[in-house]
Amino acid sequence: MSADFRRTPTARERRSDLILAAVMFVGAILSAALSSISELYGDEQAELWTALVYAAVATVPLAFRRVWPGTVAVVIALAYFAAVTIRVPEIYVGNIAMFVGLYTVGAWMNDRRRAMLVRVGIIVGMFAWLLITMYRDAISEADKADVVAGAMSPYVAFMLLQILLNLLYFGGAYYFGERSWIAAAQRAVLEQRTADLEREREVTAAQAVALDRVRIARELHDVVAHHVSVMGVQAGAARLVLDQDPEQSRRILTGIEGSARDAIHELRQLLETLRTPGGETADASSTLELDDIAELTAASTEAGLPTQYAVIGEKVPVPSLIAVNLYRIAQESLTNARRHAGVGATADVRVRYEDGGVEVEVVNTGRAVAQLRPGLGQLGMRERAAASGGTLEVTPRPLGGLRVRARVPLPLTLQTEARSPR
């Protein structure tokens, strides 16, 4: 339980205390009038005006019981002691007021050490006063009867009953006040945890939206950059041969048209995936496989970057997510090579199936790279490798060009299936 917990009454609670004080005051006046008429204390009864004063002192402070609980409890207890001592004709509402005061100290006093001292002080003072009063009355009764009060005389039994009732009275006020404080503290902790969880939920939702935006941006970059790069190269080639070889130019333009259709097709797949609940469609981009990298290399060659393709090792089934991510890494690597490697560059793509994983390596020749410049393409490749639980290396080659190597571990079940005899 938090040591910083504090209770502060609300405006509504203060209004309810004001109403309580008013009701108790009216009740105390009625009780005093009836007690005076019934001659509660007989000939020793004090004047009626003292009951009116006592009613005000014992009930009006209840309007501030949650604001100054310790002070209110002490004032009411002292008023009660004085009223009983001088035989003020009102005891019932005063008893209730003192119970409420003690309860409020336990339930609302923020300084818990002072709350305990105030309650213990009032209870000890009450019992000390009760024992003194009992002893005095016992001696008086014995003198009147001209005998010593017996151990189990009716009067002693009555006094023992009074002690028992007072134990229940003060014990109940102490216990219920303490339980109210503990319950309020537990409720505050629960409300704080609820607020923290709500904030965490909002942060998680914001992070999920941000991750989705990153994923969408990465997909758009991979799809658009690849196809636009191919179309750019093809358009440049068509412009160069337009006058000398119109037929070749038409073939290149046909290739541009095909690249545009492929780009539109992949963009449509992406949009359908985003629009469909659950992110799945009948024609999702996750249908790509590692074998499709062969078509990717062929398209790269047609776009002007001669690209070799090789598969090393025994093929094993690869989960769709890993296959798509490795395909996109190879696609982005070839796109970067076409854009930056320069005239006369070549590329080599290798897919290796090894013990425990699969690796895609894309090596291109071309311009020397002194220092890698971070960009969305590299960031996207690293995110794809990390999303598959793998690693990515992008390193310049001494003779020019880049080497991109992505390695992803495969699930143990797939490795076991690959080793098992067929």
Side-chain angles (χ1 to χ4, degrees):
M1 203 168 299
S2 174
D4 298 330
F5 171 69
R6 296 180 65 84
R7 296 192 76 177
T8 302
T10 63
R12 180 179 179 181
E13 289 169 336
R14 291 184 181 183
R15 286 194 298 269
S16 67
D17 289 342
L18 185 62
I19 295 172
L20 173 66
V23 172
M24 293 282 285
F25 179 70
V26 173
I29 292 176
L30 293 175
S31 175
L34 295 175
S35 297
S36 178
I37 294 171
S38 64
E39 297 182 351
L40 180 66
Y41 289 114
D43 296 337
E44 298 179 352
Q45 183 168 288
E47 297 293 331
L48 183 59
W49 66 267
T50 60
L52 297 177
V53 174
Y54 172 59
V57 176
T59 60
V60 171
L62 291 176
F64 310 97
R65 68 187 184 95
R66 295 185 226 236
V67 181
W68 303 302
T71 303
V72 170
V74 171
V75 169
I76 294 175
L78 291 175
Y80 181 83
F81 291 156
V84 174
T85 302
I86 65 176
R87 302 295 194 265
V88 173
E90 204 299 302
I91 58 173
Y92 301 108
V93 176
N95 266 299
I96 298 173
M98 188 162 62
F99 184 94
V100 173
L102 281 173
Y103 164 83
T104 304
V105 170
W108 283 89
M109 197 165 184
N110 292 313
D111 188 336
R112 301 312 294 168
R113 184 171 181 273
R114 287 185 60 191
M116 183 192 68
L117 292 176
V118 168
R119 287 176 293 174
V120 170
I122 292 174
I123 292 171
V124 170
M126 173 60 75
F127 273 96
W129 172 82
L130 181 63
L131 291 174
I132 293 172
T133 302
M134 287 174 54
Y135 178 78
R136 184 191 62 192
D137 291 346
I139 296 299
S140 175
E141 292 294 326
D143 290 341
K144 290 179 183 178
D146 200 25
V147 295
V148 177
M152 289 303 294
S153 66
Y155 180 77
V156 172
F158 175 76
M159 289 296 102
L160 291 176
L161 180 61
Q162 292 297 311
I163 292 176
L164 178 60
L165 290 175
N166 277 275
L167 285 173
L168 295 175
Y169 174 88
F170 290 107
Y174 195 104
Y175 172 79
F176 288 115
E178 199 70 21
R179 289 303 307 168
S180 177
W181 173 270
I182 294 172
Q186 291 174 340
R187 187 166 56 252
V189 170
L190 182 60
E191 290 173 354
Q192 182 62 42
R193 289 178 180 174
T194 301
D196 291 342
L197 288 174
E198 181 64 21
R199 282 194 296 270
E200 289 179 8
R201 187 191 67 80
E202 292 175 357
V203 170
T204 302
Q207 289 175 342
V209 171
L211 289 174
D212 279 342
R213 293 177 64 182
V214 170
R215 180 174 63 86
I216 294 169
R218 184 172 61 230
E219 291 288 345
L220 288 173
H221 176 272
D222 291 346
V223 172
V224 174
H226 169 69
H227 291 291
V228 170
S229 174
V230 171
M231 287 188 289
V233 173
Q234 290 174 327
R239 181 174 56 82
L240 292 176
V241 301
L242 181 61
D243 295 330
Q244 293 83 3
D245 192 349
E247 184 63 29
Q248 177 67 16
S249 179
R250 280 194 295 271
R251 285 197 297 271
I252 294 175
L253 290 174
T254 303
I256 294 177
E257 184 181 356
S259 296
R261 281 196 301 267
D262 291 341
I264 293 172
H265 175 68
E266 292 197 35
L267 286 172
R268 184 177 293 115
Q269 286 180 329
L270 178 59
L271 291 174
E272 289 177 357
T273 300
L274 294 175
R275 289 170 178 167
T276 304
E280 295 182 359
T281 64
D283 189 21
S285 61
S286 61
T287 56
L288 290 171
E289 298 179 357
L290 284 183
D291 290 341
D292 293 326
I293 295 179
E295 297 180 8
L296 189 65
T297 58
S300 178
T301 300
E302 292 178 4
L305 179 68
T307 305
Q308 299 293 322
Y309 173 71
V311 178
I312 303 171
E314 184 180 357
K315 292 183 180 180
V316 297
V318 177
S320 290
L321 177 62
I322 295 177
V324 170
N325 285 334
L326 291 177
Y327 177 92
R328 294 299 187 194
I329 290 173
Q331 184 183 58
E332 177 65 19
S333 300
L334 292 174
T335 299
N336 288 338
R338 282 194 299 273
R339 295 168 64 183
H340 305 296
V343 179
T346 62
D348 189 5
V349 179
R350 295 185 178 90
V351 179
R352 294 189 182 89
Y353 294 91
E354 302 175 337
D355 289 341
V358 62
E359 179 182 281
V360 171
E361 183 183 50
V362 181
V363 179
N364 68 271
T365 62
R367 296 192 184 99
V369 180
Q371 184 177 5
L372 291 175
R373 291 181 299 175
L376 292 177
Q378 290 186 40
L379 178 62
M381 289 192 293
R382 294 189 187 281
E383 289 175 347
R384 287 188 179 279
S388 300
T391 57
L392 179 79
E393 299 175 11
V394 182
T395 55
R397 300 177 70 235
L399 299 179
L402 286 175
R403 172 181 282 106
V404 178
R405 179 186 292 123
R407 189 180 191 283
V408 177
L410 293 177
L412 293 176
T413 54
L414 297 179
Q415 300 174 34
T416 304
E417 292 175 3
R419 298 193 197 96
S420 61
R422 289 172 172 76

